[in-house]
Amino acid sequence: MTRFAIPLLIVLCVLLGLSTHMVVNCGDEDDPDICSAVIGFSPLRGSLIAFAYEGRGRIALRHGDFRRAIADFDEAIHLNPNRAALYRDRALARRQNGDLELAIADYDEAIAHDPKLAAPYHQRGLALAATGDLDRAILSYNTAVRLDPSDAQARLDRGLAFLARGQADDARADFEAALALPAGKDGRAREAARAKLAELASAEPAQVSVP
């Protein structure tokens, strides 16, 4: 190896490292043009460039451009079909866009690729409940709660599904369980559970004492 080859190799490795970092992390910015530039000019192709489509899709999702997000997630999945997060992201975009059946299918794919993660079961439950399929929604929430018992929002949403199905006692149990969890990031879920418990209490017939 010549004396010029080693410095050139170091420069190429640095440039490749920077390129890889930009591809993987362009979605952390708020400018989709950065991801677009990465897609257009990065020497990296194949499954690695899928991260740039994923990043641009997430930016579009944050901005409410659901159709653009879906198109980018489509391309990312085409390039890297085994990444569960891509199906979760596309499912969220489809659910926000009103494509509930397609969202449910994507949650199914995400779960097939990573069955131990609670979030897609919870999110699939939300999509199923929105279609009126409360039985399957509750089954999906059951798995979410089993995998992550500390998720107050999942307990709240399952309680709401029970309530919609007329199972007030099961709903009350979930609302109480949500309140019993340690206070943390689920503050809104806890407040919603408290409000639902108050509604249930006010709907109960008053106890009349018999002399």
Side-chain angles (χ1 to χ4, degrees), residues 114-149:
D114 190 358
K116 295 183 179 180
L117 188 66
Y121 293 98
H122 180 190
Q123 293 156 358
R124 184 177 66 182
L126 292 171
L128 287 164
T131 68
D133 192 346
L134 295 175
D135 290 344
R136 288 177 64 206
I138 289 169
L139 289 174
S140 206
Y141 291 142
N142 288 346
T143 305
V145 170
R146 178 175 58 80
L147 290 172
D148 186 3

Side-chain angles (χ1 to χ4, degrees), residues 25-46:
N25 296 288
C26 70
D28 294 342
E29 307 296 330
D30 207 40
D31 184 357
D33 290 343
I34 295 175
C35 290
S36 297
V38 168
I39 290 166
F41 298 106
S42 172
L44 301 175
R45 297 287 101 185

Side-chain angles (χ1 to χ4, degrees), residues 143-164:
T143 305
V145 170
R146 178 175 58 80
L147 290 172
D148 186 3
S150 67
D151 187 350
Q153 187 66 51
R155 291 182 182 274
L156 171 67
D157 290 330
R158 186 174 65 177
L160 293 173
F162 278 134
L163 198 58

Side-chain angles (χ1 to χ4, degrees), residues 36-71:
S36 297
V38 168
I39 290 166
F41 298 106
S42 172
L44 301 175
R45 297 287 101 185
S47 60
L48 272 175
I49 207 67
F51 284 104
Y53 283 103
E54 178 184 4
R56 192 170 68 180
R58 287 182 173 175
I59 293 170
L61 187 57
R62 291 198 297 269
H63 287 219
D65 190 349
F66 304 126
R67 291 185 179 181
R68 175 61 183 269
I70 291 166

Side-chain angles (χ1 to χ4, degrees), residues 2 15 47 141 164-165:
T2 67
L15 290 175
S47 60
Y141 291 142
R165 205 165 65 169

Side-chain angles (χ1 to χ4, degrees), residues 8-28:
L8 179 60
L9 184 59
I10 293 172
V11 170
L12 288 174
C13 288
V14 170
L15 290 175
L16 184 59
L18 290 172
S19 179
T20 303
H21 176 80
M22 184 63 71
V23 167
V24 172
N25 296 288
C26 70
D28 294 342

Side-chain angles (χ1 to χ4, degrees), residues 92-114:
L92 177 57
R94 284 175 161 173
R95 181 158 65 89
Q96 299 282 14
N97 199 48
D99 303 324
L100 295 176
E101 294 298 336
L102 292 174
I104 291 165
D106 270 345
Y107 286 129
D108 289 343
E109 283 289 340
I111 288 166
H113 284 88
D114 190 358

